[in-house]
Amino acid sequence: MKAAVIVFPGSNRERDAVAALERASGTKPHLVWHRDTELPDVDLVVVPGGFSYGDYLRSGAMAAHSPIMRAVKAKAERGLRVLGICNGFQIVTEAGLLPGALMRNAALKFVCRTVHLRVENTDSAFTGKYRKGQIVRYPVAHHDGNYWADAETVKRLEGEGRVAFRYVSDSGADDPLWNPNGSVAGIAGIFNETRTVLGLMPHPEDAVDPLHGNLDGKPLFDGLVEALS
Ligand SMILES: NC(=O)CC[C@H](N)C(=O)O
């Protein structure tokens, strides 16, 4: 699997994404600067976490209009797999590849901890190596992770199997007390219509190494390698 990781001024998880991809695929991904206008020939683009453009204006809003995002958008519309993690989720959503918006966390505080997620749909290159309903633990670190979409959009996402991950309790139950940011319906990650684009707030790339104390993110990267090689 050939992959590219996009770097914006203020990105800070690009190296984590590179390490996770290299560990899973054995191939070093390309790092692509935000000012570039073309993507290398790849099977997957990762838009990583961080604070692109200092989160000015709105998290992800400026990065969504960078030259490289025009190329990412054009190729995503033709089926290129795109994984947007945390700030990357904000960026691909601002770019219009996913519906809804990421608002300030409901408690108005930065949240940095491990969360429990239920894998809601395994019919994608991203989630194919999980079991449906499996509970996984990924870390979160954000202040704008409160996913919002209008009721009709949420209904459509649910009906079309486009909710990828949902915040749940440690026993796997729907429980708003375990929702770290107030996201509507506990939504932690969503797919586009063809499930070729995934955006999620938690960080699978920081749960792939025994030193992370948690390997729950590994099936996501292994699954991508299996599906895209
Ligand atoms: N870790 C991240 O990617 C942070 C995302 C974003 N800057 C926020 O705090 O909401």
Side-chain angles (χ1 to χ4, degrees):
M1 179 185 72
K2 290 174 283 161
V5 178
I6 312 295
V7 186
F8 301 93
S11 295
N12 68 5
R13 302 292 181 115
E14 73 275 23
R15 278 169 210 288
D16 306 48
V18 165
L21 291 164
E22 195 173 354
R23 175 183 290 263
S25 68
T27 310
K28 225 184 185 28
H30 300 265
L31 281 172
V32 180
W33 185 231
H34 70 123
R35 276 196 213 270
D36 289 354
T37 51
E38 276 178 44
L39 282 169
D41 177 30
V42 290
D43 309 300
L44 170 76
V45 166
V46 176
V47 187
F51 297 80
S52 56
Y53 301 90
D55 281 351
Y56 280 99
L57 192 56
R58 246 188 350 261
S59 292
M62 289 169 76
H65 294 279
S66 61
I68 196 61
M69 283 310 293
R70 253 195 296 278
V72 171
K73 230 180 131 178
K75 287 211 173 172
E77 276 155 12
R78 294 203 299 272
L80 176 69
R81 301 303 205 290
V82 178
L83 171 61
I85 306 170
C86 200
N87 191 221
F89 183 14
Q90 297 162 340
I91 294 167
V92 298
T93 302
E94 290 282 346
L97 286 172
L98 293 171
L102 279 310
M103 305 196 307
R104 185 61 34 109
N105 294 344
L108 305 181
K109 289 203 171 103
F110 193 94
V111 56
C112 183
R113 63 178 165 91
T114 297
V115 297
H116 293 84
L117 304 167
R118 192 170 62 225
V119 184
E120 301 287 40
N121 190 331
T122 55
D123 188 14
S124 79
F126 305 94
T127 53
K129 272 192 111 58
Y130 293 103
R131 269 178 294 104
K132 189 172 161 62
Q134 187 175 340
I135 309 305
V136 296
R137 293 164 61 246
Y138 290 174
V140 292
H142 58 252
H143 55 65
D144 292 331
N146 181 355
Y147 181 73
W148 183 87
D150 59 67
E152 201 176 307
T153 303
V154 172
K155 201 169 150 206
R156 204 172 67 240
L157 290 172
E158 301 276 12
E160 294 174 356
R162 290 168 57 191
V163 176
F165 296 98
R166 203 184 307 270
Y167 301 110
V168 291
S169 76
D170 56 348
S171 66
D174 291 289
D175 185 342
L177 288 175
W178 289 72
N179 181 335
N181 49 37
S183 290
V184 62
I187 290 172
I190 55 167
F191 297 114
N192 66 340
E193 275 171 32
T194 48
R195 293 189 213 129
T196 49
V197 177
L198 169 66
L200 78 171
M201 283 316 288
H203 290 274
E205 78 283 22
D206 292 320
V208 296
D209 186 316
L211 290 174
H212 292 147
N214 173 4
L215 295 174
D216 286 359
K218 200 172 166 312
L220 186 142
F221 294 96
D222 290 346
L224 282 166
V225 171
E226 204 170 291
L228 304 179
S229 297

